[in-house]
Amino acid sequence: MDHFIQFESKELASKLIEKALLFKKTPLLNREKGTGKRIGLIFLNPSLRTRVSTQIAASNLGMESIVLNMDKEGWALEMADGVIMNKDKVEHIKDAAAVLGQYFDLLAVRAFPSLTNKKEDKEDTIIKQFIKYSGIPVISLESATRHPLQSLADMITIKENRVTEKKPKVVLTWAPHIKAIPHAVANSFTEWALGCDHDLTITHPLGYELDTAFTQCAHIEYDQTKALNNADFVYVKNWSAFNDYGKIIHVDDSWLLTEDSLKHSPTAKVMHCLPVRRNLELSDEILDHSRSLVQQQATNRIFAAQAVLDEFI
Ligand code: CP
């Protein structure tokens, strides 16, 4: 593995899940493996879980981590090659990434999409520029298209909670939101759930179709009630329109998941990556119920990150 920016194979996913579960039992198992190694955590957008869990993971492995909140503390970066930098951008990614590549052994980058330039977002231009110019392994802390550390933590959580060897029925359901939200978590969850051989159904209102590059092997069901029938795991997430790129077509409150929505899937566990807007995106009654796995997912972010960092040191 040269970088960690997306799902690669079922074998690698299984290896990372097993390793993460081992670290969960014994967090300091490899506490000296990362001695003398340094990771740079570069945030172009806000974070709570990703930032702290990755720092804890690095610490468990004996690595030094340095956080740079590039959006607030760094120079404004020019990402396009060959431009005359006579506007607001102060430093070119070519120079900044090359410097970071000398300071660190590993680089981890969070770079959300613009949701205005579909081509650049779809090509994951920012993280690709960090890869191109840093010359060191890059780990995605959520890019324009994917959030693989979140998805790995989600797969670990499903593994911990599945009760039979039978393929679990996993439903990814769209939820209402008032802001235009990226597709990365939904894309990545789809990629990992299918890659790990789960039985995945995606449900959303008309107009909220995800990029078919991710969903072509999933069942799509526009009727949420039908989709939720007999579900084992329900992953709740909002995303903006992909075809009408970055738009909020409507905020349909009837899609808010409640206990009543789960009456035909009484044992279903509910997942969300957090942060969540309570009673807009997901109800208190679900979040505060024993069926909610959101805190377990957040805990597993540490061990997902630790399993991935361990591959690079
Ligand atoms: N789930 C997740 O990535 O959380 P943060 O945005 O707080 O890092």
Side-chain angles (χ1 to χ4, degrees):
M1 183 165 52
D2 296 331
H3 307 281
F4 182 76
I5 58 169
Q6 62 182 63
F7 179 89
E8 282 190 13
S9 68
K10 190 176 173 188
E11 292 66 38
L12 179 61
S14 301
K15 179 184 170 194
L16 292 172
I17 292 168
E18 290 310 322
K19 201 197 290 197
L21 290 169
L22 186 61
F23 282 138
K24 193 169 182 177
K25 278 199 203 111
T26 326
L28 301 183
L29 184 68
N30 287 350
R31 67 181 179 279
E32 280 161 21
K33 194 173 171 193
T35 304
K37 304 270 183 180
R38 191 180 298 129
I39 181 169
L41 306 179
I42 312 299
F43 285 88
L44 280 75
N45 312 95
S47 168
L48 186 156
R49 281 142 290 272
T50 305
R51 172 181 166 149
V52 179
S53 63
T54 311
Q55 283 188 284
I56 296 170
S59 164
N60 286 348
L61 292 166
M63 296 178 79
E64 182 185 3
S65 60
I66 294 178
V67 173
L68 178 57
N69 294 310
M70 203 80 188
D71 53 337
K72 299 181 194 75
E73 299 158 1
W75 299 116
L77 290 181
E78 176 58 64
M79 294 291 168
D81 290 328
V83 294
I84 299 171
M85 289 173 57
N86 60 359
K87 297 206 171 79
D88 56 333
K89 304 292 167 52
V90 178
E91 181 161 29
H92 200 280
I93 182 70
K94 190 185 277 196
D95 304 310
V99 170
L100 294 169
Q102 296 191 66
Y103 291 168
F104 295 109
D105 301 287
L106 261 177
L107 211 53
V109 178
R110 167 164 282 198
F112 286 174
S114 63
L115 291 180
T116 54
N117 188 328
K118 189 174 187 175
K119 183 172 179 296
E120 273 182 15
D121 290 348
K122 198 168 155 53
E123 287 171 0
D124 253 337
T125 303
I126 298 178
I127 204 154
K128 296 263 173 69
Q129 291 289 65
F130 274 100
I131 289 173
K132 183 173 173 187
Y133 292 121
S134 69
I136 58 173
V138 172
I139 293 170
S140 170
L141 299 175
E142 187 172 344
S143 74
T145 59
R146 293 174 172 90
H147 194 355
L149 284 176
Q150 179 65 53
S151 304
L152 175 56
D154 298 335
M155 295 305 116
I156 295 163
T157 310
I158 289 175
K159 168 122 188 164
E160 289 179 313
N161 286 279
R162 58 190 286 186
V163 286
T164 66
E165 283 307 305
K166 189 176 134 285
K167 270 189 189 190
K169 178 177 176 184
V170 179
V171 179
L172 169 62
T173 180
W174 182 90
H177 208 292
I178 51 161
K179 297 195 92 169
I181 300 293
H183 310 96
V185 170
N187 286 345
S188 215
F189 183 78
T190 300
E191 184 174 63
W192 284 72
L194 292 172
C196 290
D197 217 16
H198 298 323
D199 170 11
L200 179 69
T201 299
I202 303 174
T203 185
H204 54 73
L206 205 64
Y208 282 105
E209 291 77 12
L210 290 161
D211 184 350
T212 51
F214 290 93
T215 61
Q216 60 196 349
C217 295
H219 309 288
I220 311 291
E221 171 56 68
Y222 288 93
D223 181 332
Q224 191 193 40
T225 307
K226 270 193 202 160
L228 291 172
N229 203 26
N230 283 325
D232 297 303
F233 296 92
V234 180
Y235 201 98
V236 179
K237 188 74 187 85
N238 171 266
W239 57 87
S240 53
F242 178 73
N243 292 330
D244 194 359
Y245 193 62
K247 297 286 183 308
I248 303 172
I249 300 170
H250 55 76
V251 184
D252 184 347
D253 294 343
S254 69
W255 280 74
L256 175 70
L257 201 75
T258 60
E259 279 298 326
D260 191 52
S261 334
L262 295 174
K263 59 179 181 266
H264 298 304
S265 39
T267 58
K269 300 285 188 187
V270 176
M271 304 174 73
H272 189 286
C273 62
L274 303 179
V276 65
R277 288 185 183 234
R278 280 176 176 254
N279 303 313
L280 171 68
E281 212 181 341
L282 194 46
S283 60
D284 278 343
E285 64 174 355
I286 297 272
L287 280 164
D288 299 332
H289 189 282
S290 57
R291 67 163 84 245
S292 167
L293 298 179
V294 299
Q295 291 298 331
Q296 193 172 339
Q297 288 171 265
T299 303
N300 286 337
R301 290 295 307 273
I302 296 173
F303 305 106
Q306 195 169 337
V308 171
L309 295 188
D310 188 74
E311 291 287 306
F312 289 100
I313 56 177

